[in-house]
Amino acid sequence: MERLIEGFSMLNWQHYLFAASVAYVITYIYRTIARWKERKKKGEKTYVIKTLDRQAVDRCAELFPIDVLSFKGREFKRGMKIRVTTIQKNIIEGEFIGLNQVNLVCIKTGNQIIAHQLEKIAEISAAE
């Protein structure tokens, strides 16, 4: 214990300043990495149901009760074939099922049902 106290008494203000600076840099790097990970998690939110039985489609129509979607001045109604391009350039093509109160758009594709955040959609157009 005496050696420890003797060791601390040999330190001057420059050593303390250096130790505080290193601790700050390490903390800054750790918090920056944590923010990057958090941003990565908050990316696009897409929910996929890989079943297309009639009961699942009916349930989605209940969960997404808003049947008209207004996007950049255009309106899309339930049952229309639409093509959605996300901000990460993913393309989803299928039948518009509905929209809910938390701005999730539900689309029925050939073999799955997809719910995607409206804020993460770059473009919506009518499919051919």
Side-chain angles (χ1 to χ4, degrees):
M1 185 67 158
E2 289 178 25
R3 284 183 50 199
L4 186 63
I5 294 172
E6 187 178 310
F8 277 121
S9 66
M10 297 174 102
L11 299 175
N12 60 18
W13 67 272
Q14 293 169 334
H15 292 112
Y16 288 113
L17 181 64
F18 178 73
S21 300
V22 169
Y24 175 77
V25 169
I26 291 171
T27 303
Y28 181 80
I29 290 170
Y30 175 78
R31 293 179 118 200
T32 302
I33 291 170
R35 275 190 229 117
W36 284 343
K37 286 183 179 179
E38 188 66 30
R39 267 193 220 127
K40 189 175 180 180
K41 285 182 185 177
K42 286 185 178 179
E44 287 188 10
K45 296 262 197 260
T46 303
Y47 306 99
V48 179
I49 299 172
K50 294 193 182 222
T51 181
L52 265 185
D53 61 351
R54 189 71 205 152
Q55 195 175 28
V57 175
D58 291 342
R59 181 74 176 135
C60 284
E62 289 175 21
L63 291 173
F64 298 88
I66 303 169
D67 59 351
V68 176
L69 168 65
S70 295
F71 189 82
K72 294 185 180 178
R74 297 184 68 195
E75 283 193 353
F76 302 95
K77 296 182 185 212
R78 183 172 295 186
M80 286 181 69
K81 300 287 184 194
I82 61 173
R83 180 185 178 111
V84 175
T85 306
T86 67
I87 59 174
Q88 291 185 342
K89 305 297 182 211
N90 294 326
I91 297 175
I92 304 168
E93 201 166 317
E95 179 184 335
F96 173 64
I97 294 181
L99 178 72
N100 67 6
Q101 291 79 10
V102 293
N103 285 337
L104 281 175
V105 178
C106 188
I107 302 162
K108 180 178 85 169
T109 65
N111 58 354
Q112 56 192 2
I113 298 172
I114 300 173
H116 194 77
Q117 288 177 301
L118 186 61
E119 296 84 23
K120 306 291 182 181
I121 294 176
E123 186 62 41
I124 301 177
S125 61
E128 293 83 35

